[in-house]
């Protein structure tokens, strides 16, 4: 199992999730991971945010296909508004988790990065560690369902890893 690095501030944990547009993959991961954190009773100690490396969709809600799927599965997708990742996030978050290798490369271009903290989200996937979350934006509904399945099982593993280092 992939280990989570220790928190920078004892007893608190900050996680940033990053994709390209911040309207499909990282918002889905954000909503699911935040729900799992709350289920684990850790929502007063673990912060989850998401952003895109690009700025095209800043201020927009989630892609309606992503939102519809999340809603059908009992999640609240209504509060998301897209934002662009800031270079300062690299030092402020305990984990900065990229959805694919392009996103990870773009994060590394923003500044100095610690590979234990700035890495692929699916490094924590118990089924296929180190895979990418494929971009569903230009595809059909099946792509969004694939993303949700990956994000749910990986979020469970992230929560377990973070709970382990929070103590
Ligand atoms: P995301 O998907 O990175 O999962 O939010 C995309 C959203 C928008 C675009 C590309 C990917 N776009 O080119 O606008």
């Amino acid at each position: 199992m992939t280990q989570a690095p220790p928190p920078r501030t004892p007893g608190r944990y900050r996680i940033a999730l990053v994709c390209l547009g911040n309207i499909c993959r990282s918002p889905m991961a954000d909503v699911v991971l935040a729900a799992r954190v709350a289920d684990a009773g850790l929502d007063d100690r673990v912060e989850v945010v998401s952003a895109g490396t690009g700025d095209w969709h800043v201020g927009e809600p989630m892609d309606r296909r992503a939102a519809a799927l999340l809603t059908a599965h009992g999640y609240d997708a209504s509060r998301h508004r897209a934002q662009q990742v800031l270079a300062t996030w690299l030092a402020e978050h305990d984990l900065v988790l990229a959805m694919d290798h392009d996103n990870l490369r773009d994060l590394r271009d923003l500044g100095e990065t610690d590979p234990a903290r700035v890495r692929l989200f699916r490094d924590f996937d118990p089924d296929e560690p180190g895979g990418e979350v494929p971009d569903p934006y230009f595809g059909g509904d099946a792509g969004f369902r694939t993303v949700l399945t990956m994000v749910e099982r990986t979020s469970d593993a992230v929560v377990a890893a973070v709970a382990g280092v929070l103590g």
Side-chain angles (χ1 to χ4, degrees):
M1 190 177 106
T2 298
Q3 305 289 315
R8 291 163 184 273
T9 304
R12 300 199 61 81
Y13 216 86
R14 300 185 72 190
I15 304 171
L17 304 162
V18 177
C19 64
L20 178 60
N22 194 219
I23 56 170
C24 299
R25 292 166 293 173
S26 64
M28 292 177 72
D30 185 344
V31 165
V32 170
L33 180 58
R36 296 298 203 266
V37 163
D39 289 347
L42 294 172
D43 43 330
D44 56 341
R45 293 198 281 159
V46 178
E47 176 191 308
V48 182
V49 294
S50 69
T53 56
D55 65 358
W56 312 283
H57 298 286
V58 167
E60 294 178 15
M62 206 181 300
D63 180 283
R64 61 185 161 68
R65 298 162 294 176
L69 184 63
L70 286 174
T71 303
H73 284 258
Y75 299 100
D76 178 6
S78 67
R79 284 178 295 179
H80 178 75
R81 294 295 177 271
Q83 56 183 342
Q84 187 176 26
V85 67
L86 301 172
T88 51
W89 286 25
L90 297 174
E92 290 168 357
H93 289 81
D94 297 299
L95 280 172
V96 182
L97 300 176
M99 296 296 128
D100 66 29
H101 284 106
D102 285 345
N103 308 147
L104 186 57
R105 187 200 60 225
D106 289 343
L107 285 169
R108 289 180 175 147
D109 285 347
L110 288 177
E112 195 178 330
T113 53
D114 173 354
R117 296 184 183 275
V118 182
R119 60 193 308 166
L120 290 175
F121 175 68
R122 288 187 67 206
D123 282 349
F124 290 90
D125 185 343
D127 288 7
E128 191 198 327
E132 298 186 305
V133 180
D135 189 347
Y137 184 68
F138 295 106
D141 289 344
F144 285 86
R145 289 194 296 272
T146 299
V147 169
L148 181 59
T149 302
M150 289 173 174
V151 159
E152 285 184 320
R153 68 168 184 261
T154 302
S155 293
D156 286 337
V158 170
V159 170
V162 169
V165 293
L166 269 178

